Amino acid sequence: MSHPSTSWKDISEGRYTAELPGGSFAFAMSREDLPFREVCDLALRNNPKRRFLFVSKNLGRHIPTRPAAICEVASLLAKKLRIRLKPGPVVFIGMAETATTLGQAVFREFLAQGGNGFYIESTRRPTGEPQAFRFSETHSHATAHVIHLPSRDEDPENLLRTAEQVVVVDDEATTARTAAGLIQAMKTWRNGETFDAWLAVILRWKQGGVDDAAFTGIESLVEGTFECKTMEELSDAPVASECIDSQIIARRGIRHGSCEPQKLPECWDSTATSGEKILVIGNGEYGFRPLLLAEALEADGAEAWVMASTRSPVLPGGAIGCVRNFPALSGEGYNEFLYNVLEDHPYDRVILCLEDDLP
């Protein structure tokens, strides 16, 4: 069943209002490198610490997204960083789970534009191997994150420990508290050593957050302020998880970092017929290789979209047209969700990409 979408109004240049079941919003945008309404929609979630969700349209997470849209925002962010950062290697950290695809895409574009460095992403899943540090995301349904320790082969220059510039990549920043917590945990792990910390996001809300001070700079494509009013009481929220998942040991993969973006697995079939409509679905933190597959399918003549399942519970309505709920495909004990894929979807083929064996 499909649910009511967001009702938008353009008030004047840079000013918008939006209504969705259970909430109303007012926006005042100070900068739009890309049009605000082309990069963002809205949803409500049952979380007492943060009742709403900005749903990025160019992320490949909650909404099926064309690969070119993800690549566009990644390229624009990389260009901004290339202008602002000093010469020298840069550590990029993609924020699980929402920005793991975007984070690696920004890193890929940064290298393509002449930069160099190392990429790693936070995770809620341990590999059973050494960890560098942990931090928390207080308003999330799953709060605990870990950064694993790379091997010498994965990080031959020991950049995670020594690089003088670190970029955290996320989809949006309201308070920047989570990214600031990551940076503080990293500084503690580095025995208090200082470094330039940057935050790169699609959407930045300038709400006067004190955590902005944790960063040398914040790069974004859209900036503004908002007001939100929830108009109804929500039912009891799902219980948040404050621990790293440990029922299933995750694959090492990109969780221990790399100096190069991941490649498309040679065994994956990327053949398509001209004009074939294909949806590629990743699973949880596993999103970049599904993006690579969607790009390869388009190169073979298909029209491809990419998205990923998520463990984040979001209420139907607004940007969330429909919800599928199922036990985690990794075999861990939580539920996960797939949004906006109707029973009568328009795709000729749907491809599910997993990093785990099915339970």
Side-chain angles (χ1 to χ4, degrees), residues 104 119-121 251-258 260-262:
Q104 203 171 163
Y119 175 79
I120 198 167
E121 53 198 38
R251 297 180 189 271
R252 186 180 181 100
I254 202 67
R255 289 183 179 87
H256 285 259
S258 176
E260 296 181 353
Q262 290 176 300

Side-chain angles (χ1 to χ4, degrees), residues 141-142 236-241:
H141 178 62
D236 291 340
V239 177
S241 170

Side-chain angles (χ1 to χ4, degrees), residues 156-267:
E157 297 182 57
N158 198 23
L159 295 179
L160 186 64
R161 176 75 75 173
T162 64
E164 296 180 358
Q165 300 177 102
V166 175
V167 176
V168 178
V169 181
D170 210 346
D171 62 321
E172 62 94 13
T174 305
T175 65
R177 184 170 300 138
T178 301
L182 186 162
I183 293 300
Q184 183 56 55
M186 189 171 186
K187 286 183 176 178
T188 300
W189 175 67
R190 284 185 167 198
N191 298 317
E193 175 191 335
T194 60
F195 53 86
D196 288 345
W198 293 80
L199 178 60
V201 294
I202 300 172
L203 186 57
R204 180 191 180 192
W205 298 111
K206 302 182 75 171
Q207 303 288 97
V210 297
D211 293 291
D212 288 2
F215 301 97
T216 305
I218 300 176
E219 290 299 328
S220 66
L221 303 182
V222 180
E223 288 187 358
T225 60
F226 71 90
E227 295 180 0
C228 170
K229 296 180 181 179
T230 52
M231 297 183 295
E232 62 184 41
E233 290 297 319
L234 303 177
S235 59
D236 291 340
V239 177
S241 170
E242 298 180 359
C243 300
I244 295 292
D245 298 319
S246 57
Q247 294 186 38
I248 304 293
I249 295 300
R251 297 180 189 271
R252 186 180 181 100
I254 202 67
R255 289 183 179 87
H256 285 259
S258 176
C259 291
E260 296 181 353
Q262 290 176 300
K263 306 294 184 185
L264 184 69
E266 293 183 1
C267 60

